[in-house]
Amino acid sequence: MRNRKTRSQLAQQLVFVGPSTVFFIIIIVIPFLLGMYYSFTDWNGVSGKAAWVGLDNFKQIFTSDTNFRTDFWFTVRFTVAGVVLTNLLGFFLAYFLTKQLKSRNVLRTVFFMPNVIGGLLLGFIWQFIFVKGFSAIGEKTGFSFFNLPWLGDETTAFWGIIIVFVWQTAGYLMVIYISSLNNVSHEILEAAAIDGASKAQILRKIIIPLIMPAVTVCLFLAISWSFKMFDLNLSLTKGGPFGSTESVALNIYNEAFANNRYGLGTAKAFIFFVIVAVITSLQVKLTKSREVQS
């Protein structure tokens, strides 16, 4: 009887979990392992032969590839600004849209909609806005803000990508924060208000500690999105002007598919994977340690 029950449970696991496991291995695990192998070769991505070069690709990246270091520094700066601004905007949108507003459901939909649009399409739309829309507004109003060379200068192009990134992703984080804020007990908030706590004190001392699980998730998502940002970078600036806004993801893409140095590109991708994995693991560990234990 016990053996029959064990076989039945095994059959259920194979039926429900087996197909997804097979697809995960084919789509994720095998390409990852192949990428690790090719990172130790000089394969060009086309020929059937890939000569083993050992650690030469990694030595080249750390010693002579200045573009990779420059692009990594840009990605770090972009990630810091993007993560902070996206989470701040997402949280405050959620905070105000959990109030008793008649139009809050409509506003939630409006703020979430940019996340539905694909990154490439969104980038081309905002490229038109920066180049044509802002200049037209600047001519009509005379405001210097709209007459800036938004995609033609290193500083303004950086902040242009930040604006589009925050505009696209803040709505998604807003939904997560709304879900967490709705679970905060109103009795606790009312008791704190009766005891004389100000709104700022309630927000800082009660609400934020209670929604730390949502903060952990939102920080993890924002860090991952920022580091892996590719489509907005490609459609908005293509890494320009003069490579000043090229992200690591775009650098890897150009190395592998434009320069036909697939081995070097996968070596960069492997290094990038390790760095992002370490940073996100530390972030999750740090924020989880600040979560309120129920």
Side-chain angles (χ1 to χ4, degrees):
M1 185 70 179
R2 180 178 298 176
N3 292 334
R4 183 181 299 176
K5 183 178 181 180
T6 302
R7 288 196 297 269
S8 176
Q9 292 176 346
L10 179 60
Q12 291 176 6
Q13 293 174 1
L14 290 175
V15 170
F16 292 106
V17 182
S20 60
T21 304
V22 171
F23 282 113
F24 178 79
I25 293 172
I26 294 174
I27 297 173
I28 303 296
V29 177
I30 293 178
F32 178 78
L33 295 176
L34 287 174
M36 289 182 61
Y37 167 75
Y38 285 125
S39 67
F40 297 98
T41 69
D42 65 350
W43 189 43
N44 60 10
V46 179
S47 67
K49 296 182 179 179
W52 183 267
V53 295
L55 297 174
D56 289 353
N57 288 329
F58 296 94
K59 291 178 182 177
Q60 180 178 341
I61 293 170
F62 287 113
T63 57
S64 60
D65 196 336
T66 57
N67 288 335
F68 183 77
R69 291 195 291 270
T70 302
D71 296 344
F72 184 78
W73 173 237
F74 165 80
T75 305
V76 170
R77 291 187 292 117
F78 173 83
T79 299
V80 172
V83 168
V84 172
L85 294 176
T86 302
N87 276 274
L88 285 177
L89 181 60
F91 172 76
F92 282 108
L93 286 175
Y95 181 73
F96 289 112
L97 293 180
T98 50
K99 305 297 182 183
Q100 296 299 321
L101 300 174
K102 292 183 179 180
S103 59
R104 64 179 181 178
N105 290 332
V106 175
L107 291 174
R108 290 176 183 178
T109 304
V110 169
F111 289 126
F112 181 78
M113 281 183 64
N115 190 263
V116 180
I117 306 174
L120 284 174
L121 179 59
L122 195 67
F124 288 126
I125 292 172
W126 271 92
Q127 186 183 64
F128 175 81
I129 293 173
F130 282 131
V131 175
K132 299 294 184 181
F134 276 18
S135 61
I137 296 174
E139 290 177 2
K140 296 294 184 181
T141 61
F143 292 144
S144 59
F145 174 83
F146 296 103
N147 291 321
L148 294 172
W150 278 101
L151 301 181
D153 179 75
E154 178 180 352
T155 303
T156 53
F158 172 81
W159 287 108
I161 300 175
I162 289 290
I163 290 171
V164 181
F165 176 79
V166 173
W167 184 77
Q168 180 189 23
T169 56
Y172 191 95
L173 302 187
M174 174 196 71
V175 173
I176 299 175
Y177 282 125
I178 286 175
S179 176
S180 185
L181 287 170
N182 286 334
N183 290 327
V184 176
S185 173
H186 293 286
E187 287 78 8
I188 297 176
L189 302 180
E190 291 173 358
I194 292 173
D195 289 340
S198 64
K199 291 184 178 180
Q201 290 174 325
I202 293 174
L203 176 63
R204 189 174 67 255
K205 299 293 186 180
I206 299 176
I207 294 178
I208 292 179
L210 289 176
I211 66 166
M212 278 305 295
V215 174
T216 299
V217 173
C218 289
L219 284 176
F220 175 82
L221 290 174
I223 291 172
S224 301
W225 293 338
S226 301
F227 268 113
K228 297 185 296 183
M229 187 268 301
F230 170 78
D231 44 8
L232 288 179
N233 197 194
L234 179 64
S235 56
L236 272 174
T237 65
K238 295 182 176 62
F242 305 108
S244 60
T245 62
E246 185 175 84
S247 66
V248 173
L250 185 57
N251 179 285
I252 294 170
Y253 171 83
N254 289 331
E255 195 72 75
F257 300 106
N259 301 334
N260 291 328
R261 293 188 290 192
Y262 197 89
L264 185 59
T266 51
K268 291 182 177 182
F270 183 69
I271 294 171
F272 190 48
F273 163 76
V274 172
I275 293 173
V276 174
V278 170
I279 292 175
T280 51
S281 299
L282 291 175
Q283 171 264 310
V284 170
K285 183 177 181 180
L286 177 63
T287 52
K288 269 192 167 296
S289 66
R290 297 177 178 271
E291 292 180 8
V292 176
Q293 298 296 325
S294 57

